[in-house]
Amino acid sequence: MKLTKKSHACVRLEKDGRTLVIDPGTFSEEDAAVGAEAILVTHEHLDHFDEDRLRAGMEANPAAEIWTLKSVAEKISAAFPGRVHTVGHGDTFTAAGFDVQVHGELHAVIHPDIPRITNVGYLIDGGKVFHPGDALTVPDQPVETLMLPVMAPWNKIAEVIEYVREVKPQRAYDIHDALLTDLARPIYDNQIGALGGAEHLRLTPGASAEV
């Protein structure tokens, strides 16, 4: 499976000539979803869900479909009848040839005064890749490659390190990193790499790896 990092929280997975994209938001490239056969969205926040990017992907490929939670599906399903599927925790489905399991229900706490919204994570091909969205969800099965949210208003580095330790992936690739300056990256690299207990990796936007 080829994993390509797009800007911020968006990733692109390719296998057997088919493409799946997760979370093309406003911080991602304008064509982040173009060429995808399947698009997964974890929640409604703009850095994960951008209607224009979804429309670009859906219009570029008339066979493309979206899987997402209810709050996002309600915003886009009318524009693409029959092509938007609502999912929740415990659901399983196949998208663009990838087997997907849905894990999690709520966004991480930003502040007690801010109501929590729904958020789901996607486990791909039996644990090959897990993208948690904006939550520190731990799947109930082993994870080979964890997409790790390293910098957000709702987390701190101690929680990120503990999350890696709890999931116990073979490797963790940074996502949710648009807010992280280049000056701070070595600090995160060193601390997560030294304390997380898993190989800690980072791809620049557009770069790829085999997983």
Side-chain angles (χ1 to χ4, degrees):
M1 185 189 306
K2 181 181 178 181
L3 165 69
T4 300
K5 171 76 164 63
K6 308 300 283 185
S7 293
H8 196 52
C10 182
V11 298
R12 188 179 189 95
L13 302 176
E14 297 172 79
K15 182 184 70 172
D16 300 330
R18 307 179 76 179
T19 301
L20 178 150
V21 169
I22 305 175
D23 278 3
T26 54
F27 296 167
S28 304
E29 295 78 3
E30 290 185 4
D31 63 350
V34 173
E37 185 177 336
I39 305 166
L40 312 183
V41 180
T42 62
H43 66 288
E44 65 197 76
H45 283 162
L46 59 82
D47 56 327
H48 297 256
F49 159 63
D50 179 73
E51 187 170 341
D52 289 340
R53 283 159 175 76
L54 289 182
R55 285 179 178 274
M58 296 291 274
E59 290 169 358
N61 180 3
E65 298 177 81
I66 295 171
W67 282 262
T68 188
L69 36 66
K70 182 181 178 182
S71 59
V72 173
E74 289 176 342
K75 299 177 188 296
I76 193 131
S77 58
F80 301 100
R83 298 170 64 189
V84 181
H85 311 281
T86 302
V87 298
H89 177 71
D91 288 343
T92 60
F93 57 92
T94 300
F98 294 86
D99 294 326
V100 184
Q101 298 176 20
V102 184
H103 292 263
E105 299 179 84
L106 290 172
H107 192 287
V109 175
I110 301 172
H111 186 276
D113 290 352
I114 300 176
R116 295 175 75 181
I117 62 170
T118 50
N119 175 96
V120 295
Y122 297 107
L123 188 72
I124 310 297
D125 280 357
K128 280 283 187 183
V129 173
F130 181 60
H131 190 306
D134 274 8
L136 301 180
T137 302
V138 180
D140 58 3
Q141 58 185 281
V143 173
E144 292 184 23
T145 300
L146 174 65
M147 307 313 300
L148 180 65
V150 292
M151 178 61 181
W154 49 267
N155 72 14
K156 60 183 180 181
I157 196 167
E159 296 169 337
V160 175
I161 291 167
E162 290 302 316
Y163 182 51
V164 177
R165 289 180 173 183
E166 191 170 1
V167 176
K168 298 182 176 69
Q170 294 180 20
R171 66 193 69 86
Y173 278 99
D174 287 355
I175 58 168
H176 215 286
D177 55 357
L179 303 180
L180 189 63
T181 70
D182 288 340
L183 288 173
R185 288 185 189 276
I187 299 172
Y188 280 71
D189 292 344
N190 292 337
Q191 294 186 353
I192 297 172
L195 300 174
E199 184 180 16
H200 176 245
L201 303 159
R202 178 162 49 87
L203 293 170
T204 56
S208 301
E210 295 294 326
V211 297

